[in-house]
Amino acid sequence: MFKLHKTLRSTKARLGILTTDHGTIDTPIFMPVGTLGSVKAVKQDDLVEHVKAQIILGNTYHLYLRPGCDIMRDAGGLHSFMEWDRPILTDSGGYQVFSLSDNRELSEKGATFQSHHDGSKHLFTPENVVETQRILGSDIMMMLDECPPWPCEYEYAKESMELTHRWAERGRKAFLDSDPHYGHQQFQFGIVQGGTYKDLRKESARFFAELNTGGIAIGGLSVGEPTELMYEMTDLNTDDLPEHKPRYLMGVGTPENLLQCVARGIDMFDCVMPTRNARNGQIFTRNGIINLRNAKWKHHHQYLDENFPSDLCRKYKMSYMHHLFRNSELLGLELASLHNLTFYLWLMEEIRSHINNDTFAGWYEGMAAQVDQRI
Amino acid sequence: MFKLHKTLRSTKARLGILTTDHGTIDTPIFMPVGTLGSVKAVKQDDLVEHVKAQIILGNTYHLYLRPGCDIMRDAGGLHSFMEWDRPILTDSGGYQVFSLSDNRELSEKGATFQSHHDGSKHLFTPENVVETQRILGSDIMMMLDECPPWPCEYEYAKESMELTHRWAERGRKAFLDSDPHYGHQQFQFGIVQGGTYKDLRKESARFFAELNTGGIAIGGLSVGEPTELMYEMTDLNTDDLPEHKPRYLMGVGTPENLLQCVARGIDMFDCVMPTRNARNGQIFTRNGIINLRNAKWKHHHQYLDENFPSDLCRKYKMSYMHHLFRNSELLGLELASLHNLTFYLWLMEEIRSHINNDTFAGWYEGMAAQVDQRI
């Protein structure tokens, strides 16, 4: 499924193509997050035409609770339910069990939790999250893992990682013993854990390298630790991951993070930041970060960037965008969400182009500083 | 500016074309409401491509307060500010002064009120609302009027109407003594009042017939009175209005209202209903009214109407639309708003087509009953 076309020598940046039954994905890639079967405030058509999204993400925890597996099965899976015919990756739900649900309890068997909607009790196991993701019909499914918080004691991180590994073996077996429901192939990715302890991180990466899943994710990062530590752990992990498997850094991140982590050998990213921050008026651009609510835009009757292919940049003046946000107009949320995703995908295309032209090493650090400044 | 092409004998339905410097408008027409310079949840591009809106409405009260006249002037008017190059009609702000602001006070001079945002004090006069609408640059501006509540004593309705008439004379003079700011022509419409008293209604209609404005609106209806009374007053008023002036029934209404009032000689309508109700999950269709939140749609994995040209009808299954509304996904608001406006404009096109083919009289009552039923 994954073909590595190029690896730079100057940095660890790689160029590849991931092939699924719903289409191919150029890596490095960013995956917009469609938690509940909708990338918030963005139409599916716009994701294709304007954002140029190649793959999106759905959240198993959310979709399992609402609309639920019966409706998902009757609808013929998530692709059919949300009318999206490009690839979809779903997480296992583990992360949300720990971050959203009430009264969660961990055991060897799995994770029990109460729904954040109605208090109903549920159990996620390494096996049943495979089955749930068979019902969702995602092209790439993730294994159940425990994502420890940061900071976290060494002993906790070690035990948690070992549990994640035991769960991974069970999950792999459940995957191999089951079949897709809708005729298209599904792949399974494991998730490296180990907190921010180098020896655990290395042990976990080697464990997953051996497990021979379709791809490998790096989890447990971007959970509050300093950015430099996130970069260090990512760099460490990619050293031990098999070259010919795609590497997915979960929940990352800012445009700067994407540039820095591609340089450290990452192929895939997802994050709610472009859409969530858009809804607060924060706009990412090639020249830096803008807050549309800032009074400086009130009288700015100019377009932000007539050469950037988003409506927010070249079709509406900044004074109008400011007005929309100041008055909580839904159009502002739509235009900003669409813009930020278009920018993220544009940045990934720039990254791929620079890798392809062997100009990435000399470019990415300057670009990272540029996109990170406040303007 | 207005050319009447046809009037039916069987009903009072008319077919015409309104010409402005921003384009022509086929009447009867419905005008989507863009209160603050945005038709809520709908992109300007979609208004053109999908809704096929020929003219939209902006609210002077809201735009006067936010972003304010200085920004509107600097932006070059509302067309430029919101990037809309088709016709715009603006109201005078009078209605919102009475329905939204605090501590409003009426005098011969005009209406003083406090902003509902920050409590600041303002005065609207028949003259300065002309100037504000010169700054907004709407193609059609409305006169300041007082819209009495329903029910309302005869004496109050009479005095209020007389004040509206005196204001109208001042407003007409202010209009004729001033020039457009942006090079395109502007028209002014008067507003018939008189509560629900037949003699006052007739007196007011005749007054405005004499005033020789570009068009004439019927105001003060759809403010809580029984629907039959609204139809009766509309019918009464159009008898006294000049044939060759467009007639605009303000703030109306449901699809059924549009059909019934076209039959009573109305050419133009505006209402927040299609967008406001869309945001609550209420969908208007040719077969009746639907609530997307209703549990009956939960397992309905079919399209609502593959032959109706809206994404909601033919691109997404009802189970998905229900899911979006149940989970307050912004995409639901967008798709429903876009659908309802597309339906309203589709209905007006049907109406024009039936008038043109002389089939309106035999069609509109059955259609009114059909679109009004709950499904």
Side-chain angles (χ1 to χ4, degrees):
Chain A
M1 75 172 299
F2 183 64
K3 209 155 177 195
L4 187 66
H5 285 303
K6 186 173 189 170
T7 305
L8 297 183
R9 290 186 200 176
S10 45
T11 73
K12 291 155 81 177
R14 301 138 48 95
L15 207 60
I17 291 187
L18 229 153
T19 302
T20 77
D21 287 348
H22 285 100
T24 59
I25 300 151
D26 301 309
T27 65
I29 193 70
F30 178 82
M31 304 180 279
V33 178
T35 303
L36 271 157
S38 164
V39 175
K40 287 194 194 303
V42 179
K43 282 181 224 162
Q44 278 77 319
D45 283 352
D46 288 339
L47 279 177
V48 172
E49 285 164 38
H50 296 288
V51 174
K52 301 188 193 309
Q54 300 190 20
I55 173 172
I56 62 172
L57 191 141
N59 286 121
T60 292
Y61 171 85
H62 290 286
L63 293 165
Y64 165 87
L65 291 175
R66 285 190 174 176
C69 287
D70 57 335
I71 287 175
M72 272 299 166
R73 192 188 291 110
D74 291 348
L78 184 55
H79 287 89
S80 167
F81 184 63
M82 70 177 290
E83 308 284 345
W84 175 257
D85 61 8
R86 294 190 176 190
I88 296 176
L89 181 148
T90 48
D91 60 11
S92 70
Y95 184 80
Q96 278 79 24
V97 166
F98 297 106
S99 60
L100 288 181
S101 68
D102 299 322
N103 296 325
R104 60 198 180 276
E105 245 175 66
L106 215 60
S107 70
E108 190 63 33
K109 192 176 179 193
T112 56
F113 62 96
Q114 282 188 292
S115 160
H116 68 287
H117 294 302
D118 60 8
S120 56
K121 280 206 168 175
H122 303 272
L123 166 68
F124 277 0
T125 69
E127 293 83 6
N128 73 15
V129 300
V130 170
E131 177 53 21
T132 298
Q133 292 175 95
R134 290 282 189 210
I135 292 167
L136 295 175
S138 47
D139 300 274
I140 300 172
M141 66 168 74
M142 304 302 299
M143 287 179 164
L144 189 67
D145 62 337
E146 190 202 351
C147 178
W150 186 89
C152 155
E153 293 296 318
Y154 183 86
E155 270 315 303
Y156 186 96
K158 184 169 160 49
E159 280 172 29
S160 167
M161 178 198 74
E162 286 165 357
L163 179 66
T164 288
H165 291 180
R166 292 192 300 276
W167 282 0
E169 280 164 346
R170 287 165 51 192
R172 189 64 187 158
K173 183 170 186 318
F175 177 81
L176 295 172
D177 289 350
S178 61
D179 292 309
H181 292 196
Y182 312 112
H184 63 264
Q185 202 180 356
Q186 296 183 280
F187 299 100
Q188 187 185 40
F189 281 23
I191 305 173
V192 172
Q193 290 289 352
T196 47
Y197 298 102
K198 289 186 189 176
D199 62 325
L200 299 181
R201 279 274 157 198
K202 287 191 89 64
E203 183 183 340
S204 190
R206 285 170 187 160
F207 172 87
F208 281 101
E210 287 293 307
L211 196 62
N212 201 28
T213 49
I216 299 169
I218 298 174
L221 296 178
S222 201
V223 293
E225 78 283 5
T227 306
E228 284 307 321
L229 198 51
M230 186 260 278
Y231 292 157
E232 191 187 341
M233 291 299 128
T234 300
D235 202 16
L236 185 82
N237 268 165
T238 55
D239 278 343
D240 288 316
L241 294 179
E243 211 183 326
H244 292 278
K245 294 271 165 85
R247 301 139 174 197
Y248 161 30
L249 181 57
M250 301 183 83
V252 172
T254 65
E256 182 193 23
N257 294 160
L258 303 186
L259 287 154
Q260 292 290 354
C261 293
V262 164
R264 286 161 175 82
I266 296 297
D267 305 307
M268 302 165 71
F269 300 91
D270 83 285
C271 193
V272 294
M273 186 176 276
T275 40
R276 179 178 290 167
N277 291 23
R279 295 196 301 279
N280 293 320
Q282 195 180 65
I283 297 304
F284 298 101
T285 79
R286 52 182 146 188
N287 298 311
I289 300 167
I290 282 168
N291 194 325
L292 293 171
R293 294 179 181 277
N294 194 309
K296 73 192 270 195
W297 304 113
K298 194 173 175 181
H299 295 273
H300 193 89
H301 299 296
Q302 274 138 43
Y303 302 108
L304 184 60
D305 183 350
E306 294 192 57
N307 296 314
F308 190 81
S310 81
D311 284 1
L312 183 145
C313 277
R314 65 181 178 185
K315 201 170 269 181
Y316 297 101
K317 291 182 274 281
M318 289 299 275
S319 53
Y320 183 67
M321 291 306 308
H322 174 76
H323 169 74
L324 293 179
F325 270 90
R326 189 164 172 239
N327 292 287
S328 307
E329 283 288 339
L330 291 163
L331 181 62
L333 310 186
E334 296 176 39
L335 293 172
S337 301
L338 198 47
H339 165 84
N340 275 356
L341 287 176
T342 303
F343 174 71
Y344 265 61
L345 271 290
W346 172 88
L347 181 63
M348 299 315 292
E349 202 179 331
E350 284 288 293
I351 286 171
R352 292 194 300 271
S353 165
H354 278 285
I355 298 172
N356 195 38
N357 298 331
D358 291 310
T359 52
F360 181 81
W363 166 79
Y364 83 97
E365 288 187 301
M367 188 65 175
Q370 186 174 309
V371 295
D372 193 47
Q373 65 196 347
R374 304 274 159 163
I375 54 174
Chain B
M1 73 174 298
F2 183 65
K3 209 156 175 192
L4 187 66
H5 285 304
K6 185 172 189 170
T7 305
L8 296 184
R9 289 185 203 177
S10 45
T11 74
K12 290 155 80 177
R14 301 139 47 98
L15 208 59
I17 290 187
L18 228 154
T19 302
T20 76
D21 287 349
H22 285 99
T24 59
I25 300 150
D26 301 310
T27 64
I29 192 71
F30 178 82
M31 304 181 280
V33 179
T35 304
L36 272 157
S38 165
V39 175
K40 290 196 193 299
V42 179
K43 283 182 222 163
Q44 279 77 319
D45 284 353
D46 287 339
L47 278 178
V48 172
E49 285 164 38
H50 297 287
V51 175
K52 304 192 193 305
Q54 299 190 21
I55 173 170
I56 62 172
L57 192 141
N59 287 120
T60 293
Y61 172 85
H62 290 287
L63 293 164
Y64 164 87
L65 292 175
R66 284 187 173 177
C69 287
D70 57 335
I71 287 175
M72 271 301 165
R73 192 187 291 109
D74 292 348
L78 183 55
H79 286 91
S80 167
F81 184 62
M82 70 178 289
E83 308 284 345
W84 175 258
D85 62 9
R86 294 190 175 190
I88 296 176
L89 180 149
T90 48
D91 60 11
S92 69
Y95 184 79
Q96 278 79 25
V97 166
F98 297 106
S99 60
L100 288 180
S101 68
D102 298 322
N103 295 324
R104 60 199 180 277
E105 245 175 68
L106 214 60
S107 69
E108 190 63 34
K109 192 175 179 191
T112 56
F113 62 96
Q114 281 188 293
S115 160
H116 69 286
H117 294 303
D118 60 9
S120 56
K121 282 206 167 177
H122 303 272
L123 167 68
F124 276 1
T125 68
E127 293 82 7
N128 74 14
V129 300
V130 170
E131 177 52 22
T132 297
Q133 292 175 94
R134 290 283 188 209
I135 291 166
L136 294 174
S138 46
D139 299 274
I140 300 171
M141 66 169 74
M142 303 303 296
M143 287 181 164
L144 189 66
D145 63 336
E146 191 200 350
C147 178
W150 185 89
C152 155
E153 294 296 317
Y154 183 85
E155 270 315 302
Y156 187 96
K158 183 170 160 55
E159 279 172 29
S160 167
M161 178 197 76
E162 286 165 357
L163 179 67
T164 289
H165 291 181
R166 291 192 300 275
W167 281 0
E169 280 164 347
R170 286 165 52 192
R172 188 64 189 159
K173 182 170 187 318
F175 177 80
L176 295 172
D177 288 350
S178 63
D179 292 308
H181 291 195
Y182 311 113
H184 63 265
Q185 202 180 356
Q186 296 182 280
F187 299 99
Q188 187 184 38
F189 281 23
I191 305 174
V192 173
Q193 290 290 353
T196 47
Y197 299 101
K198 289 186 189 177
D199 63 323
L200 299 181
R201 278 275 156 198
K202 286 191 89 65
E203 183 184 339
S204 191
R206 285 170 187 160
F207 172 87
F208 281 102
E210 288 292 306
L211 197 64
N212 201 26
T213 49
I216 299 169
I218 298 174
L221 295 179
S222 202
V223 292
E225 77 284 4
T227 306
E228 285 307 320
L229 198 51
M230 186 258 278
Y231 291 158
E232 190 188 342
M233 293 297 127
T234 300
D235 203 15
L236 185 81
N237 269 164
T238 55
D239 279 343
D240 289 317
L241 294 179
E243 211 184 324
H244 291 278
K245 295 272 164 86
R247 300 140 174 197
Y248 160 30
L249 182 57
M250 302 184 82
V252 172
T254 65
E256 182 193 20
N257 295 160
L258 303 186
L259 287 154
Q260 292 290 355
C261 293
V262 164
R264 287 161 175 80
I266 296 296
D267 306 306
M268 303 166 70
F269 300 91
D270 82 285
C271 193
V272 295
M273 186 176 274
T275 41
R276 179 177 291 165
N277 292 23
R279 297 196 300 279
N280 293 320
Q282 193 180 66
I283 297 305
F284 299 101
T285 79
R286 52 182 147 187
N287 298 311
I289 301 169
I290 282 168
N291 195 325
L292 294 170
R293 295 178 180 278
N294 193 311
K296 72 193 270 191
W297 304 114
K298 194 172 174 181
H299 295 274
H300 192 90
H301 298 295
Q302 275 138 44
Y303 302 108
L304 184 59
D305 183 351
E306 295 193 56
N307 296 314
F308 190 80
S310 81
D311 284 2
L312 182 145
C313 277
R314 64 181 181 187
K315 202 169 268 181
Y316 297 102
K317 291 181 275 281
M318 288 299 276
S319 54
Y320 182 67
M321 290 307 309
H322 174 77
H323 168 74
L324 293 179
F325 269 90
R326 192 166 171 235
N327 292 288
S328 307
E329 283 288 338
L330 291 165
L331 181 61
L333 311 187
E334 296 176 39
L335 293 172
S337 302
L338 199 47
H339 165 83
N340 275 355
L341 287 177
T342 303
F343 173 71
Y344 265 61
L345 272 289
W346 172 88
L347 181 62
M348 299 315 292
E349 204 179 329
E350 285 288 293
I351 287 172
R352 293 193 301 271
S353 166
H354 278 285
I355 298 173
N356 195 38
N357 299 331
D358 291 311
T359 52
F360 181 80
W363 166 79
Y364 83 97
E365 289 186 301
M367 188 67 176
Q370 187 175 309
V371 295
D372 192 47
Q373 64 195 348
R374 304 274 158 164
I375 53 175

